[in-house]
Amino acid sequence: AQSVTQLGSHVSVSEGALVLLRCNYSSSVPPYLFWYVQYPNQGLQLLLKYTTGATLVKGINGFEAEFKKSETSFHLTKPSAHMSDAAEYFCAVSEGNTPLVFGKGTRLSVIA
Amino acid sequence: DAGVIQSPRHEVTEMGQEVTLRCKPISGHNSLFWYRQTMMRGLELLIYFNNNVPIDDSGMPEDRFSAKMPNASFSTLKIQPSEPRDSAVYFCASRPNGNTEAFFGQGTRLTVV
């Protein structure tokens, strides 16, 4: 069965610092991997996704993630944090047409 | 496109009452998902439909929960009778055939007192 583990329920960074949110997955077949962002009282918005091909995926708002099969990881990074990046971030996995399975989420705080 | 539309956005009800949450998926999307979000359990899949047919309802917590999709443009999630532990944010999401990511609605925040 698919599963996702997000290390760290809360990450705090200074404005301008590197953002690194960790995600490890489990899947019995080549996975599709996703990062979503949720702002307060909002739904989930797709940041980026990996399906096939290039393992470094670029998304919206300057975020990117790298699929590492050997490490079963799909960590999310951004070189320089902005105040507007403060939100909840969810990693998810699916196996083709199956529903997305989400991690517990990581709340990102950005300190001025 | 207006995106996935959920109603109501907020619902406060008394324990024992029936609650109906509504969802209008994006036109042309043939898969629809209901998720529940709580602090303790995160985002849980309750049920999903493909071409209006329920495919997997193993995530529905109890018989008090039921979901229907009478046509391609409408789905409901009903809780009868509601209990305080049902308090959560309920999300509906849809996905077009052949696509991978799901598109989420704004959610319904349910409070059962």
Side-chain angles (χ1 to χ4, degrees), chain A residues 36 38 41 49 97-98 100, chain B residues 9 35 37 95 100-102:
Chain A
Y36 281 80
Q38 183 182 30
N41 300 315
K49 67 178 181 181
N97 283 339
T98 61
L100 274 65
Chain B
R9 288 294 312 275
Y35 286 88
Q37 184 179 35
R95 182 173 71 186
T100 54
E101 74 264 28

Side-chain angles (χ1 to χ4, degrees), chain A residues 19-97:
Chain A
V19 175
L20 171 61
L21 304 183
R22 300 179 186 274
C23 171
N24 288 88
Y25 69 90
S26 173
S27 175
S28 58
V29 301
Y32 293 161
L33 295 160
F34 309 83
W35 277 99
Y36 281 80
V37 61
Q38 183 182 30
Y39 298 101
N41 300 315
Q42 299 286 318
L44 279 71
Q45 177 185 0
L46 181 70
L47 271 180
L48 50 79
K49 67 178 181 181
Y50 168 80
T51 54
T52 59
T55 56
L56 181 62
V57 180
K58 295 186 185 299
I60 61 172
N61 302 339
F63 285 93
E64 62 182 37
E66 186 170 12
F67 169 57
K68 291 188 176 181
K69 183 179 177 181
S70 62
E71 299 177 7
T72 61
S73 69
F74 191 57
H75 301 331
L76 182 71
T77 60
K78 182 174 180 177
S80 177
H82 292 194
M83 297 298 289
S84 60
D85 294 327
E88 187 96 16
Y89 292 80
F90 292 90
C91 183
V93 64
S94 77
E95 297 174 349
N97 283 339

